[in-house]
Amino acid sequence: MLTKDPDAPKDRWGKRPSDRTVGELLSFGVIAMDKPSGPTSHQATAWARDALHVQHIGHGGTLDPYVSGVLPICLGKAVRLTDLVLSSDKQYVATMRLRGDHPEERVRDVMSRFQGRIYQMPPVRSSVRRQLRIRNVSSLDVLEVDGRDVLFRADCDAGTYIRTLCTDVGEALGCGAHMTGLRRTRSGSMTEAEAHTLQDIRDAYVLWQQNGRESWLRSMVLPGEVLVEPLPKIIVKATAVDAICHGADLSVKGIHKLDEDIRRNSLVAMMTARGELIGLCRMLMSSQKIMASDQGVAAKTDRVIMSPGHYPRMWRYSTDLDTED
């Protein structure tokens, strides 16, 4: 990370995400739910809302009713970041049944051809427009072949249809195939190892409310900052934080540190020195240009997550809110 101002004083304000109370986490947090097969993602999210007694809740990435696995549940202000979850890459484990007999070597060879960039047409029953799309399958591992049944794991872009992938594999084999089971094992950085059942979420909340024991619930609710982990970062000076919270754009003077190789027009997370998310911005300058400049607007604020007043006001009213005193 490049340092724009090495002499900037250490922040005296704010709170590290790990130091937040459970109540604060519920107002800006994420839970990896292990959705069971049966309910829709909307139903599972509604049950989580009732279990946690929160008003604002949303899920990142719809799973069909018969599909189980990792369903990110965004709480409070984290709902405004669900688009980041929707666009993150996914991992699935699926079972496929062939409609004809083929040697295992032949099945593995054909499936290996579907690794990399593939073309897909969304199914007839889908929520998106049916047009040919390109998706990247970064890995496609055949775990087991038992007669006509194939177990495989796929790491892929968001929006990749595994059911369609199975159909396409069947056509390539010349016998046809269909998906018989599907589980999402990862969504972005959230894996099934850290996913929690709805019953556990409900029990952990009751334990916190009735007995004051918060450790179980705290282990489930991740700070909302985990949603911006894939994005490049800019560390904003404490003196500029409140101006951004009031809607100001980010000036070069307000930057303390920033990641290398940030490109113009890229979406970037604005953070405090304590690791708190201020909001997202769209870059007007590259990292190299910022390092070579001492004035100007570096980025246009896209959305603000942090509430005004969390950091003290250190700016004056003017035509540019990001002007420092």
Side-chain angles (χ1 to χ4, degrees), residues 4 234 250-253 255 258-259 261-266 268 281-300:
K4 179 66 178 174
I234 286 180
L250 177 62
S251 69
V252 171
K253 292 182 178 180
I255 297 175
L258 72 163
D259 284 343
D261 299 326
I262 294 179
R263 299 181 180 180
R264 190 173 181 271
N265 293 324
S266 59
V268 175
C281 64
R282 187 70 63 176
M283 298 303 297
L284 301 178
M285 298 182 181
S286 65
S287 297
Q288 289 71 24
K289 188 171 182 179
I290 290 173
M291 293 302 296
S293 306
D294 58 4
Q295 60 182 351
V297 179
K300 183 174 181 61

Side-chain angles (χ1 to χ4, degrees), residues 110-146:
V110 168
M111 292 192 68
S112 67
R113 303 174 193 174
F114 287 84
Q115 184 168 309
R117 289 164 59 87
I118 64 172
Y119 292 89
Q120 280 198 331
M121 180 70 73
V124 175
R125 294 182 179 180
S126 64
S127 58
V128 299
R129 182 180 177 183
R130 295 197 76 233
Q131 60 182 15
L132 196 63
R133 304 186 302 172
I134 298 176
R135 289 294 181 266
N136 183 58
V137 179
S138 57
S139 68
L140 186 61
D141 301 317
V142 177
L143 304 177
E144 185 179 352
V145 178
D146 182 12

Side-chain angles (χ1 to χ4, degrees), residues 33 70 86 112 116 203 207 210 247 306-307 315:
M33 175 191 287
V70 180
L86 293 172
S112 67
D203 290 346
L207 192 65
Q210 296 185 357
M306 182 178 289
S307 299
W315 49 275

Side-chain angles (χ1 to χ4, degrees), residues 100-270:
D101 297 320
H102 287 277
E104 181 175 335
E105 294 76 11
R106 167 70 174 160
V107 174
R108 291 181 178 274
D109 176 63
V110 168
M111 292 192 68
S112 67
R113 303 174 193 174
F114 287 84
Q115 184 168 309
R117 289 164 59 87
I118 64 172
Y119 292 89
Q120 280 198 331
M121 180 70 73
V124 175
R125 294 182 179 180
S126 64
S127 58
V128 299
R129 182 180 177 183
R130 295 197 76 233
Q131 60 182 15
L132 196 63
R133 304 186 302 172
I134 298 176
R135 289 294 181 266
N136 183 58
V137 179
S138 57
S139 68
L140 186 61
D141 301 317
V142 177
L143 304 177
E144 185 179 352
V145 178
D146 182 12
R148 296 185 177 184
D149 294 318
V150 181
L151 175 68
F152 66 92
R153 178 176 57 234
D155 289 272
C156 53
D157 284 347
T160 303
Y161 289 94
I162 305 300
R163 177 186 293 277
T164 301
L165 177 64
C166 292
T167 300
D168 292 343
V169 168
E171 290 182 357
L173 284 168
C175 64
H178 63 277
M179 186 179 73
T180 55
L182 182 65
R183 177 173 173 80
R184 182 194 285 163
T185 52
R186 181 177 60 79
S187 178
S189 61
M190 300 181 190
T191 67
E192 64 176 347
E194 58 188 2
H196 309 278
T197 65
L198 177 64
Q199 187 60 54
D200 282 346
I201 294 171
R202 186 190 303 275
D203 290 346
Y205 182 86
V206 171
L207 192 65
W208 171 54
Q209 285 289 294
Q210 296 185 357
N211 300 334
R213 296 168 61 182
E214 64 175 35
S215 58
W216 193 11
L217 184 59
R218 177 179 286 278
S219 69
M220 296 181 180
V221 188
L222 305 174
E225 281 78 5
V226 301
L227 298 177
V228 300
E229 286 180 355
L231 296 180
K233 311 289 191 303
I234 286 180
I235 306 301
V236 178
K237 294 179 184 177
T239 52
V241 172
D242 193 60
I244 294 173
C245 292
H246 279 85
D249 293 330
L250 177 62
S251 69
V252 171
K253 292 182 178 180
I255 297 175
H256 174 41
K257 294 182 180 180
L258 72 163
D259 284 343
E260 300 181 34
D261 299 326
I262 294 179
R263 299 181 180 180
R264 190 173 181 271
N265 293 324
S266 59
L267 188 66
V268 175
M270 296 180 287

